[in-house]
Amino acid sequence: RPATNVDFQETEQLAFELIRVLDDDFEPRGPWAPDLDKDQLLESLKLMTLVRAYDDRMYRMQRQGKISFYMQCLGEEATSIGPGMALRDGDMIFPHYRQQALYLMRGTGLLNMMCHCLSNTRDFCRGRQMPVFYQHAEGNMFTISGNLCTQYPQAVGWAMAAAIKGSDDIAASWIGDGSTAEADFHHALTFAAVYQAPVILNVVNNQWAISTFQAVAGGERRTFAARGHGYGIPGLRVDGNDLLACYATTAWAAERARNGGGPTLIEFVTYRGGAHSTSDDPSRYRPRDEWSAFPLGDPLKRLTGHLERLGHWSKDQQSELEAEMKQHVADTWKEACSHGTMTEGPFLDPHEMFEDVFEEMPRHLDEQQAEMMELEEQEWPK
Amino acid sequence: RPATNVDFQETEQLAFELIRVLDDDFEPRGPWAPDLDKDQLLESLKLMTLVRAYDDRMYRMQRQGKISFYMQCLGEEATSIGPGMALRDGDMIFPHYRQQALYLMRGTGLLNMMCHCLSNTRDFCRGRQMPVFYQHAEGNMFTISGNLCTQYPQAVGWAMAAAIKGSDDIAASWIGDGSTAEADFHHALTFAAVYQAPVILNVVNNQWAISTFQAVAGGERRTFAARGHGYGIPGLRVDGNDLLACYATTAWAAERARNGGGPTLIEFVTYRGGAHSTSDDPSRYRPRDEWSAFPLGDPLKRLTGHLERLGHWSKDQQSELEAEMKQHVADTWKEACSHGTMTEGPFLDPHEMFEDVFEEMPRHLDEQQAEMMELEEQEWPK
Amino acid sequence: MAEMNMIQAINSAMDVMLERDSSVVVMGQDVGYFGGVFRCTDGLQKRHGEHRVIDSPISEGGIVGTAIGMAVNGLRPVAEIQFADYIYPGFDQIVSELARIRYRSDATFTTPVTIRTPSGGGIRGGQTHSQSPEGIFAHVSGLKTVMPSNPYDAKGLLISAIESNDPVVFFEPKRIYNGPFDGDPNKPSQSWSAHPRGEVPDDYYTVPLGQADIVQEGDEITIVTYGTIVHVAQAAAQALGVNAEVIDVRTLMPLDIMTLQASVEKTGRCLVAHEATRFCGYGAELVASIQRACFWHLEAPIERVAGWDTPYPHAFEWQYFPTQKRLAAGIRRVMEAG
Amino acid sequence: MAEMNMIQAINSAMDVMLERDSSVVVMGQDVGYFGGVFRCTDGLQKRHGEHRVIDSPISEGGIVGTAIGMAVNGLRPVAEIQFADYIYPGFDQIVSELARIRYRSDATFTTPVTIRTPSGGGIRGGQTHSQSPEGIFAHVSGLKTVMPSNPYDAKGLLISAIESNDPVVFFEPKRIYNGPFDGDPNKPSQSWSAHPRGEVPDDYYTVPLGQADIVQEGDEITIVTYGTIVHVAQAAAQALGVNAEVIDVRTLMPLDIMTLQASVEKTGRCLVAHEATRFCGYGAELVASIQRACFWHLEAPIERVAGWDTPYPHAFEWQYFPTQKRLAAGIRRVMEAG
Ligand SMILES: Cc1ncc(C[n+]2csc(CCOP(=O)(O)OP(=O)(O)O)c2C)c(N)n1
Ligand SMILES: Cc1ncc(C[n+]2csc(CCOP(=O)(O)OP(=O)(O)O)c2C)c(N)n1
Ligand SMILES: [Mg+2]
Ligand SMILES: [Mg+2]
């Protein structure tokens, strides 16, 4: 673990190793081992357990037709929670669509997130976005886009502005392995390097981009962490199922950025445990048991294993926690549905569809809104 | 000079050195020294001298209002001529706008190039492109685009098709240092790496992108040759004013590509000796004497110096050659003008403006063409 | 002859062309081993090989850019953009290159590339899986723009597009991939088997580009539309008992204005309808062209029914979508005017 | 008050706003040390510093993408795209992000970004330095689209754009940067000093977005246009001795339809003119909106004079450009019809 202010050249090797803290016996080893205390570890475990319960529930709700779409982060939880713990509240986050854990950490609230997925009267997007495209301005969590990688140069711009304003807040963004092929990946790295923007650019390499293996994005010729080398940007290749490593590497990059050291690219090596989305059927393109064979294991098992080893936790406590979270999610879901579902009211008022296209509604939208409301009154077929 | 079939890893250092053949005394030195015979060297000198005479003439013709626009390649000639000599006729070239030398090498013809710049009746673009946007299908020279870097992924696609068809022809493309910031640079490198396309991707680093120094494209943090490393693409950093080095490195990359070794990125370090274009005034942003202070000198002086050392050439012969080329260019210009200029006929028939939008002219263009021709008849003001 | 839905018809068109013409290649995200997120390329890689049915990185600009290069080297790429909403990263290569290479090179270089992309809403896709950007492409000189409304046309038009030496942007209205849709989301979804154009020849045939199709003759009003709305318009006219002539434009560029003109001169009334947003949408060109060609025959202003000028909202899909109710209101406005 | 050409007026608008509002930053290719290839940012970096007037890499996508991020962090970026022909690599960030962030986030995030870009032909720029893509942007919900036709409007509208909390694409007709142009390339070029709108206040003032301007009153025909063609239209009408009402749209989105409607209801005849290609161009929307609003007052079909539906050809610039001759032919068609 080099000092956070070393020259780029001294970081190059880190893009080809796999930075780990927890070994196969859940022992923390090596220079990257962070000092997280019991409470912090238990806090992160609680969160990870909650996210799984949330994903599990929402996935099933979609299957039952209660929501139109859903995306899990099963198996990748540590790549959000670890970094999230290492950032300050003032740091701005530009997520990909599998960072639900970060929204929970930043205070978005389970109920609000469910209400969004239901597009109901409490939806913070007022029905304008598909499920899982969260946002939370107060928590410095950006609005998620359906277009891959667009948030990457935006994060760099945000960081450039922080530097221009003389603040020491930094930006962090997440994308997937497949998204690295998009133009905005290059835009982000170029501008981050040229302006030495205080930004952390994360690539969650979960091995798959829908049906295509990361090799189709060039991940087998060269690690994604090394993509930054051509621009002089340090790259860290990290065990993404090791919460402590995810935390420690983000802390390193954050300190570097905050002190004027510029951008860092971090590749989290992990595995997409579930389907790409509720529209996907992975059995068509990958072996069913691939995850169980994945060498880096399951981030939850590794974290509980670590806590058990420390004597802070037991299998029973974990089962209790899981039951508790399951219940919490179920109760919250019930409450969320009371604010409306796709089929049962209360419903959002469709006239809201015309708001916020512009700050003030121009005449043509005013007229279209009136026309729409009038049509709503009419019966059809008459 | 590693074998052309070595692994990428063994090439990495070459992106940070400066590959040279001719030393400061014009002596060929080192492993990259190619065996070019006297005739080949004199051939390339003749061409370089011709290109300078051509650029000089056309630049002045624009200043006199005879053509609307022009771009010189003053000081960068070797980055076209060297590579051009190392490629086969069947190899497809996707140039940037400063590769006029390659068009001359591929048989486009001085007269045709001038007629294009005049947009006259002999213009191979039939008046549809600005000056210097050449093309020459028979010579496997692609049509130049005004949009920077678009040719880069196109070259990769051409090379992928060559591989699909089982041909051992390769593609080569040129861009400038500033253009590396465009999305298509990333698209090209990604696809070239993923499909191991037989393509040579050249970056002519002439230090400037209009008014911005190459640092604004990130060239100072990391060499452009190293941009490929993140994708696992070998990068060669080459003395672009050393014709022998330009030849030798291209020959290496061509052999590697032809034998299935995949893409190579080559950075030619050179200097833009003239203005960006006839619309530009470099005195506003760079010292007038910068070129004379440029450590890599002038490619023409270095080539003549080499030939003189070999006893193949003398100052007098060079002055004769320059006079001869000047005359040749002047005569050809006269002939070109006989096919029409911007002010004196013969002129292209404007109805041609409507052709080749589609293979067959659709009704709406047919009608617009008729309307335009009818208007041509009318006097205005009546 | 076989019963095919639009997915099968589109798949068959590529299959037939891969078989007939060794220069045809198919490329795009997830189109190879997997067979496409909408299954349009299902089985093609298995049948024709990895070199001809290619999985591409997630880079629309790279897909179009490399497809152009392949075309310059003698291939006929059929590139899929997974959703029309994601075509924009490839926009520069399409507009600045693909559309103009023939022109700028005096036809010494040509780029016979077909870009296939699913478009339109009605599938709960929200603002980034529902767009209809066809008007933008129809505005770009040098591109042909196509949108079929049924399996028979889809296969015949796609084969014509692949064989065309001009670049074609081929929009596939995803809402009717699996069956026609009359605009009522509460009805059980229909299958193409009941529809006459669900009968599709297994082999090669073409539907020529540049020809509109009168899907229903009538003399009271002309409804000019394309894609999913063809079916909604027919249902709306029928429900109103209006004897409407419904025209499926099919090829947006070049536009078959003669067929439209003849119809509007006959009916004297015209409604233009599409799913895309109205302002500066393709319908504006239809209105502008028709009012000029038919001005002296028009008995009422030409009305437009289109997507509202907002992004496509997830929750309000059926207030946003031009449903029968909205088509009917438009028809009434035209019929009652004057 | 001072005499300014459009370049000076645009420069002054940015200078005033950089002075007034510390959140304003200017960015783009060659805009900093050099002052821009058209000199629009001349001296701004010197006066306001490298952190506020920023030279960008040659990456339109990166420029727009980072500008959005800066706006999210409280800045008001004014980004220059060197030529409108080169805006397409930034198209995805403009259409998919800039235009919709307010909407998709229920206004919890907003992106007050102004994109300035020189457009239009008449400068021997050929197909890649002459384009007028405004219609494409006017079709995108969530963007405001502006094109001034004189120095006074240019400064006032640009300040309004910078102050707007909505994203604005601001097109600058480069042919009239240095002086008005009546469409005759053989005349000696005029300067703005002779033109009433060449008088520009040195300080802050605004011209509101969304208001068309009647630049010339008349009762025989309404000519609706914008940018360079405003001047060509006035000259053509005068040469024909037609008493035309010439309206400069100025803001393309939102469109001031009321001003257009009032005029066409008065004159009963309308010509729409612009430099952009005709098919699916902005003029199509003008025709469609006006024919609907004014149908019962129209005495003749609305005609369009526009760039031909081809790329902008270098050699045939003056056959391609909507010259006085072409405007006059259009005016005649409208006047003589019916
Ligand atoms: C610009 C764009 N192109 C294509 C898509 C369709 N798409 C959605 S997710 C996805 C795969 C992304 O894979 P990856 O980046 O690895 O992220 P992961 O799903 O694995 O988290 C694709 C192709 C899109 N959303 N945006
Ligand atoms: C997409 C695009 N953006 C901007 C421009 C305007 N432009 C023309 S040349 C140029 C500078 C290019 O510099 P470089 O790539 O270094 O090539 P050089 O001129 O030095 O050969 C710019 C910005 C363009 N032609 N295309
Ligand atoms: Mg992935
Ligand atoms: Mg350069």
Side-chain angles (χ1 to χ4, degrees), chain A residues 92 94 124-126 128-129 135-137 141-145 147 149-151 153-154 156-162 164-165 184 187 190-191 194-195 352-360 362-364, chain D residues 25 27 51-52 54-57 59 61-63 65-70 72-75 89 92-93 96-97 99-109 141-144 165-166 253-254 257-258:
Chain A
M92 184 74 194
F94 291 81
F124 43 62
C125 296
R126 284 213 283 177
R128 292 168 188 163
Q129 288 250 63
Q135 82 206 26
H136 184 51
M141 295 292 300
F142 195 57
T143 153
I144 298 173
S145 174
N147 300 62
C149 208
T150 49
Q151 69 273 25
Q154 292 164 3
V156 173
W158 194 99
M160 288 168 67
I164 289 169
K165 299 197 296 186
D184 279 327
H187 299 148
T190 302
F191 281 65
V194 168
Y195 300 104
E352 301 200 347
M353 151 168 60
F354 295 90
E355 285 167 17
D356 303 315
V357 179
F358 298 100
E359 186 175 33
E360 286 154 25
R363 162 180 300 276
H364 71 288
Chain D
V25 294
M27 60 199 288
H51 283 338
R52 299 192 57 205
I54 305 164
D55 276 314
S56 306
S59 170
I63 289 168
T66 51
I68 290 170
M70 290 178 177
V72 169
N73 200 355
L75 300 185
D92 186 49
Q93 282 283 349
S96 306
E97 298 294 311
R100 299 208 302 266
I101 285 172
R102 170 187 293 275
Y103 190 78
R104 81 185 197 216
S105 71
D106 190 26
T108 57
F109 292 99
S141 305
L143 297 177
K144 288 179 174 170
N165 291 324
D166 298 311
M253 165 55 73
I257 184 70
M258 305 309 283

Side-chain angles (χ1 to χ4, degrees), chain D residues 19-320:
Chain D
E19 197 60 49
R20 277 171 73 96
D21 180 348
S22 63
S23 70
V24 172
V25 294
V26 169
M27 60 199 288
Q29 296 155 22
D30 303 290
V31 303
Y33 185 86
F34 182 53
V37 295
F38 289 105
R39 321 300 312 143
C40 289
T41 56
D42 193 15
L44 296 181
Q45 187 182 67
K46 212 166 181 174
R47 270 200 294 292
H48 303 281
E50 288 192 345
H51 283 338
R52 299 192 57 205
V53 182
I54 305 164
D55 276 314
S56 306
I58 303 172
S59 170
E60 292 72 18
I63 289 168
V64 179
T66 51
I68 290 170
M70 290 178 177
V72 169
N73 200 355
L75 300 185
R76 272 184 195 277
V78 184
E80 173 177 303
I81 300 296
Q82 202 164 75
F83 286 84
D85 313 63
Y86 304 137
I87 200 168
Y88 307 123
F91 198 65
D92 186 49
Q93 282 283 349
I94 296 171
V95 173
S96 306
E97 298 294 311
L98 186 60
R100 299 208 302 266
I101 285 172
R102 170 187 293 275
Y103 190 78
R104 81 185 197 216
S105 71
D106 190 26
T108 57
F109 292 99
T110 60
T111 52
V113 174
T114 301
I115 297 174
R116 290 180 42 242
T117 190
S119 65
I123 59 150
R124 280 273 175 196
Q127 55 143 9
T128 58
H129 302 84
S130 308
Q131 293 168 40
S132 299
E134 66 274 5
I136 290 176
F137 295 88
H139 181 47
V140 176
S141 305
L143 297 177
K144 288 179 174 170
T145 316
V146 176
M147 193 186 297
S149 72
N150 60 70
Y152 180 90
D153 286 354
K155 179 174 176 178
L157 287 166
L158 182 53
I159 290 178
S160 293
I162 295 170
E163 289 188 322
S164 168
N165 291 324
D166 298 311
V168 179
V169 185
F170 190 88
F171 292 96
E172 302 171 0
K174 63 176 99 73
R175 184 62 176 82
I176 54 174
Y177 264 153
N178 292 301
F181 178 62
D182 71 2
D184 180 350
N186 304 318
K187 277 214 200 112
S189 59
Q190 308 166 20
S191 110
W192 279 110
S193 52
H195 194 282
R197 298 286 182 97
E199 275 289 303
V200 179
D202 295 300
D203 306 339
Y204 172 93
Y205 71 94
T206 63
V207 172
L209 304 182
Q211 290 182 18
D213 180 35
I214 300 173
V215 295
Q216 172 182 310
E217 299 210 343
D219 54 17
E220 292 188 277
I221 180 174
T222 303
I223 305 178
V224 183
T225 184
Y226 51 89
T228 304
I229 308 303
V230 169
H231 305 276
V232 183
Q234 285 182 277
Q238 186 174 28
L240 282 179
V242 171
N243 183 10
E245 184 143 293
V246 179
I247 301 182
D248 179 355
V249 175
R250 296 198 298 193
T251 302
L252 279 57
M253 165 55 73
L255 170 64
D256 178 5
I257 184 70
M258 305 309 283
T259 299
L260 275 50
Q261 178 174 355
S263 176
V264 176
E265 285 179 353
K266 176 177 72 178
T267 62
R269 296 174 186 272
C270 181
L271 174 71
V272 165
H274 58 54
E275 235 186 297
T277 53
R278 186 175 77 183
F279 197 85
C280 274
Y282 186 75
E285 179 59 44
L286 289 172
V287 173
S289 297
I290 293 168
Q291 76 88 34
R292 171 151 193 239
C294 311
F295 184 81
W296 305 108
H297 297 76
L298 283 173
E299 295 159 29
I302 304 169
E303 289 281 337
R304 280 181 286 173
V305 172
W308 308 117
D309 288 314
T310 77
Y312 211 114
H314 177 257
F316 309 120
E317 184 146 51
W318 301 115
Q319 286 86 10
Y320 184 92

